Amino acid sequence: MRVITQSTVGDPSLLELIEAPRPEPSYGQLLIKTGAIGLNPVDATVRSGA
């Protein structure tokens, strides 16, 4: 699956698109397939380390 990851805080240039193994849910957990996600301004603030 494709995953956007960030290893350190900073601007959007630090975001990386990588391939990662699909997680396997444990007992009592669900794996939900998403078609799209959304971000809000607080997410950018947290990502930048502010």
Side-chain angles (χ1 to χ4, degrees), residues 13-49:
S13 68
L14 297 172
L15 299 175
E16 293 181 273
L17 179 63
I18 63 169
E19 288 291 326
R22 183 179 136 186
E24 292 296 326
S26 299
Y27 178 78
Q29 295 180 331
L30 295 173
L31 181 62
I32 299 172
K33 182 177 180 177
T34 58
I37 63 161
L39 298 173
N40 65 49
V42 173
D43 297 318
T45 302
V46 170
R47 185 194 69 233
S48 70

